[in-house]
Amino acid sequence: MQYLRISIVRILLGVWLLIVIGVIYGNARLYAPSPLAASLSKAPPQLTSQLAANRAALESGAATRMQALFPEGYYFSYLFHGLAWVELAMRDASHTEEAIEEASWCLQHMESPEGHAPFPPDLPPDHGMFYAAWKCHLRGGIVTLQQASDEKQLALWRDECDEIVTALQTSETPFLPSYHGAAWPCDTVPAIHALCTYDHLLKESRYRTFVKQWLVEVEERRDRQTGLLFPHTASLPEGRAGSVARATSQVIVLRLLPDIAPRIAQLEYESFRRDYVTTFLGAPCVLEFPRGMSGTGDVDSGPLVFGRSLSATVFLMGVAQVYGDHALADAIAQTGEVVGLPWTSDGKKQYAAGLLPIGDIMVTYAHVARPWFAQTQHHPDQPYEMCAWWRLPIHAVSLLVLLPALLLVWRRWRHGLKPKQESQESSSRP
């Protein structure tokens, strides 16, 4: 029995020692270089290994598994993988050929029966706004990388853009529904981004007047509770604010808005940063609801941790890069390299052992974020502030784990020192 008791104590001490080592390692790793690139014209150093892991996951059926967990799990898995490749090639042209191939492969899956199965086939434009907008956005990225050289792809893209404009022009609302009776304003933004991208790439003004009018109608439906331009949901058929602006949708809007309306984007990001960006143990993160307002997580946000949204925080890492808020982006990225437990093997980098592939794909998409053609008009007049000592609360909490270890070492040192001192004193006696 005594032997068993000693064995259990040794096991517990071993587990405790592993925890202590993990805490020390995690605190030290917070100071490791950020996985993000220092410039939007450079590729993050580990991005290709992340993309390789994501491709392997998709080939093994990860998108189908994600569909069982999220309403758009299949679609989003291929969408963000394709967009990550597009924006990688926009940073580093040496990846262009492979990016076109990968993004086209993703687009084929999005257009497959399994890709549009969750979406209503009779809802204009083309299975509802969510499906149509993001598909048009990705195709625009492919055409951009091709420099509009593929006439067939360009014609398809133009037709999709025209179909979206027609649907919006014949609607009472600037926010078309994605499902019957349900509209999310952020779902329309990728479609508008595609229209602006078309005009920029083709040096045309095909959609300029329409986009200006759309922005006027959006302004009339601003979320009055937060002052932000886009509420989380919109009522139908008129498109008035249905619920308060939430981080899950705002980070999508903010990522695309600089290419649509740079000055508006600057103001929106400043407001969002003030009212939604917070910390948890010093590490920056995002509140799903604005300060002073509480709510519960749902299928859009996922579970909330003390009101904080993990998915919105991951997206903010990319959004902050877009707005030149690099210190904030790096802090989120460095924290993610600790919390996410990344592991690279055989040229593939995964987080949390790849248990949630769409999470890895979203992180990759955030790591490579950049505007498609906007310059710096949406950057702040003064640099955004970021506390240089943001890691200190994490270190302070970590001491609660390390303190028992330090006390144990101190007691052992004291007990070991005492007999030695007594022995020295006795040997000095005559």
Side-chain angles (χ1 to χ4, degrees):
M1 181 63 70
Q2 184 178 2
Y3 175 77
L4 178 62
R5 193 178 298 117
I6 294 174
S7 298
I8 293 174
V9 170
R10 286 178 176 174
I11 292 173
L12 292 176
L13 286 174
V15 171
W16 180 47
L17 181 61
L18 288 175
I19 293 174
V20 169
I21 293 172
V23 169
I24 294 174
Y25 174 76
N27 278 262
R29 188 161 185 175
L30 286 173
Y31 294 89
S34 169
L36 306 179
S39 168
L40 298 186
S41 61
K42 295 182 179 179
Q46 299 174 326
L47 197 78
T48 53
S49 61
Q50 293 172 251
L51 288 167
N54 297 342
R55 171 71 189 232
L58 290 171
E59 289 178 340
S60 67
T64 301
R65 296 196 300 273
M66 294 304 96
Q67 183 61 37
L69 301 177
F70 310 102
E72 297 95 13
Y74 182 94
Y75 191 86
F76 261 146
S77 296
Y78 283 105
L79 170 69
F80 289 144
H81 182 66
L83 287 174
W85 271 107
V86 167
E87 295 189 4
L88 170 61
M90 288 179 176
R91 287 172 174 252
D92 184 349
S94 66
H95 294 283
T96 299
E97 186 175 345
E98 187 176 8
I100 293 171
E101 181 180 340
E102 288 283 332
S104 299
W105 177 74
C106 291
L107 186 58
Q108 289 173 6
H109 283 83
M110 290 161 59
E111 293 182 307
S112 70
E114 191 171 2
H116 56 63
F119 306 102
D122 59 334
L123 196 60
D126 188 14
H127 293 78
M129 183 49 91
F130 178 93
Y131 179 83
W134 282 111
K135 180 165 65 73
C136 187
H137 178 60
L138 178 57
R139 195 186 303 278
I142 295 171
V143 175
T144 298
L145 296 183
Q146 294 171 330
Q147 298 182 352
S149 61
D150 186 332
E151 290 294 334
K152 181 179 179 181
Q153 196 74 266
L154 176 59
L156 287 172
W157 186 35
R158 186 187 302 113
D159 289 344
E160 289 178 347
C161 289
D162 287 346
E163 185 179 359
I164 287 169
V165 170
T166 299
L168 284 167
Q169 286 177 331
T170 56
S171 170
E172 295 181 42
T173 170
F175 309 129
L176 292 180
S178 295
Y179 300 95
H180 286 293
W184 291 260
C186 71
D187 291 350
T188 303
V189 176
I192 302 301
H193 185 276
L195 304 181
C196 294
T197 302
Y198 183 96
D199 280 351
H200 176 81
L201 181 64
L202 278 297
K203 309 301 181 187
E204 296 182 8
S205 300
R206 186 183 183 91
Y207 304 112
R208 181 178 299 174
T209 301
F210 170 79
V211 171
K212 287 183 177 179
Q213 181 57 39
W214 180 82
L215 286 170
V216 170
E217 294 185 22
V218 169
E219 174 66 40
E220 294 172 354
R221 294 162 173 80
R222 183 181 289 272
D223 175 30
R224 303 302 176 187
Q225 292 180 272
T226 62
L228 291 171
L229 196 59
F230 295 87
H232 184 63
T233 59
S235 62
L236 294 173
E238 69 280 356
R240 300 294 172 184
S243 60
V244 68
R246 289 171 50 180
T248 301
S249 53
Q250 290 302 309
V251 289
I252 292 174
V253 171
L254 289 169
R255 177 151 178 172
L256 302 176
L257 200 54
D259 290 325
I260 300 171
R263 179 56 182 168
I264 294 175
Q266 178 190 3
L267 299 175
E268 290 292 293
Y269 182 72
E270 290 174 354
S271 297
F272 178 82
R273 199 181 192 279
R274 181 188 65 244
D275 296 335
Y276 290 80
V277 178
T278 185
T279 60
F280 184 74
L281 299 180
C285 52
V286 181
L287 294 166
E288 176 65 14
F289 295 87
R291 280 187 177 83
M293 187 177 298
S294 61
T296 57
D298 56 18
V299 71
D300 290 333
S301 66
L304 304 182
V305 181
F306 300 107
R308 290 144 175 90
S309 169
L310 178 60
S311 60
T313 300
V314 170
F315 264 91
L316 179 64
M317 176 169 48
V319 170
Q321 291 183 86
V322 170
Y323 289 84
D325 200 355
H326 294 290
L328 176 60
D330 285 336
I332 297 173
Q334 288 170 309
T335 304
E337 293 299 294
V338 176
V339 177
L341 303 175
W343 182 261
T344 302
S345 176
D346 194 26
K348 299 180 180 68
K349 180 180 179 182
Q350 293 178 305
Y351 290 85
L355 294 177
L356 193 65
I358 195 171
D360 286 53
I361 293 171
M362 288 171 60
V363 169
T364 305
Y365 178 56
H367 279 182
V368 77
R370 54 156 292 150
W372 284 20
F373 53 86
Q375 300 302 313
T376 59
Q377 307 97 313
H378 56 287
H379 285 201
D381 298 327
Q382 298 293 330
Y384 291 111
E385 295 182 359
M386 177 66 194
C387 179
W389 307 104
W390 63 268
R391 301 173 183 86
L392 288 183
I394 299 175
H395 299 332
V397 172
S398 298
L399 284 176
L400 297 177
V401 177
L402 298 178
L403 190 59
L406 294 174
L407 290 174
L408 180 62
V409 170
W410 182 77
R411 289 184 62 185
R412 284 183 174 274
W413 178 78
R414 290 285 297 173
H415 286 302
L417 181 64
K418 200 170 185 179
K420 184 177 180 180
Q421 290 176 333
E422 290 177 353
S423 174
Q424 289 175 346
E425 289 174 0
S426 62
S427 62
S428 64
R429 291 171 186 164

